[in-house]
Amino acid sequence: MRPDGGDPEPDDYGLPRIDVVVPDDARELEREMLAYRREERRRRRRARAHRLTRPLTRFGVAIPIIAGALLVALLSGALMTAFGPKPTPRPTSAQLAPRPSASPGDVGGLLPDHNVDQVTGERTATPLRDLRPGVIGIVPPAYECESVVAELAGRTQENVLNFWLVADPRPAGDKKGTSLKELRACAGTAHYGTPLILEDREGVLAEAYASAPGSPGAAASGITAVFVQPDGVVNEVVQAPRAGPELTEKIQALRSG
């Protein structure tokens, strides 16, 4: 172009004249080349980012929301698996002992021939003699849940046995039997193994194995643990058990009983 800013004079072909300056040394173009390369790199980065985000932006915000929900679900499942209650095992029961050494309801004999309700979402009538092998914890009136409940739940879980909790419905003075709600709350203190809840309205188990509430021999502050072998024989009854090696050995002995 003309430096005086006037209209350029056309050449022989009618085209305007253009002043083009060609540098003598190519190094004078180095800054322009660097700027060009930077711009090309930015353009390629934008193109890559667009290719990566295009599947997400194609459907608006729906995909990010779905991905976030899946991530939350996966994290919740992992936390529940790590810290939630462990599932109750399903031990294989042997046949009932044909000739136990004692009468039903006594140590050395079978459990009484009676039905109780197993309480999950609903009540299911269950023969007492089907409660094997495992430990039945009979809870006295006004029982304050102890750590031994969690201990029994954990040890039975380790040995592929069951652990049931049932309230003694017999009153002790002005103290009423433990309610199902209180039993469930007590069962919830066990994080390894889950106690199963039973309802024995007639108190058959308590009459057979637990001392009468308020009697001199009653363990007013503790549960009564009934140890039932795979063949249905009650091999031991322990009043107010305490956590420790001795209790662990009693539970392990049920597997070979």
Side-chain angles (χ1 to χ4, degrees):
M1 303 293 288
R2 292 177 56 185
D4 58 5
D7 294 333
E9 295 180 359
D11 60 7
D12 295 339
Y13 298 96
L15 299 173
R17 295 182 180 277
I18 299 175
D19 294 331
V20 178
V21 179
V22 179
D24 296 330
D25 191 345
R27 286 176 296 180
E28 296 180 18
L29 297 175
E30 185 174 357
R31 276 185 295 178
E32 286 79 0
M33 288 299 299
L34 289 175
Y36 171 75
R37 288 169 183 157
R38 282 196 298 270
E39 181 61 31
E40 281 295 299
R41 285 196 293 271
R42 284 195 292 267
R43 184 186 63 78
R44 287 194 293 269
R45 284 196 295 269
R46 288 195 296 268
R48 283 196 297 268
H50 179 68
R51 285 196 301 271
L52 291 174
T53 58
R54 183 167 52 190
L56 298 178
T57 56
R58 182 184 301 172
F59 301 101
V61 297
I63 295 298
I65 290 175
I66 294 172
L70 288 174
L71 180 61
V72 170
L74 288 173
L75 289 175
S76 300
L79 290 173
M80 285 296 293
T81 301
F83 301 108
K86 304 299 180 183
T88 303
R90 295 181 177 272
T92 302
S93 297
Q95 291 185 347
L96 285 172
R99 298 182 187 85
S101 61
S103 301
D106 294 332
V107 174
L110 301 175
L111 290 166
D113 189 7
H114 188 76
N115 285 354
V116 293
D117 288 335
Q118 185 162 309
V119 183
T120 50
E122 56 187 21
R123 287 174 172 80
T124 304
T126 304
L128 281 177
R129 293 179 181 179
D130 285 353
L131 304 182
R132 56 191 171 93
V135 180
I136 302 172
I138 304 172
V139 176
Y143 176 65
E144 294 184 5
C145 195
E146 302 170 290
S147 59
V148 72
V149 172
E151 180 75 10
L152 284 166
R155 294 291 174 259
T156 50
Q157 170 83 18
E158 289 174 1
N159 289 276
V160 198
L161 301 168
N162 279 319
F163 176 44
W164 297 272
L165 279 177
V166 60
D168 183 348
R170 300 171 299 175
D174 59 347
K175 297 177 181 178
K176 296 182 179 180
T178 303
S179 67
L180 285 176
K181 181 179 179 180
E182 292 168 326
L183 273 184
R184 287 194 181 97
C186 187
T189 63
H191 298 293
Y192 185 66
T194 304
L196 302 171
I197 304 300
L198 301 176
E199 186 174 34
D200 181 11
R201 296 186 183 90
E202 298 179 26
V204 174
L205 286 168
E207 288 283 354
Y209 303 107
S211 301
S215 66
S221 61
I223 67 174
T224 299
V226 181
F227 295 81
V228 188
Q229 298 176 165
D231 61 0
V233 172
V234 175
N235 72 351
E236 192 167 3
V237 175
V238 179
Q239 304 288 339
R242 291 290 176 260
E246 185 177 354
L247 180 62
T248 301
E249 289 176 5
K250 292 180 187 298
I251 293 171
Q252 290 174 341
L254 296 178
R255 300 175 60 183
S256 57

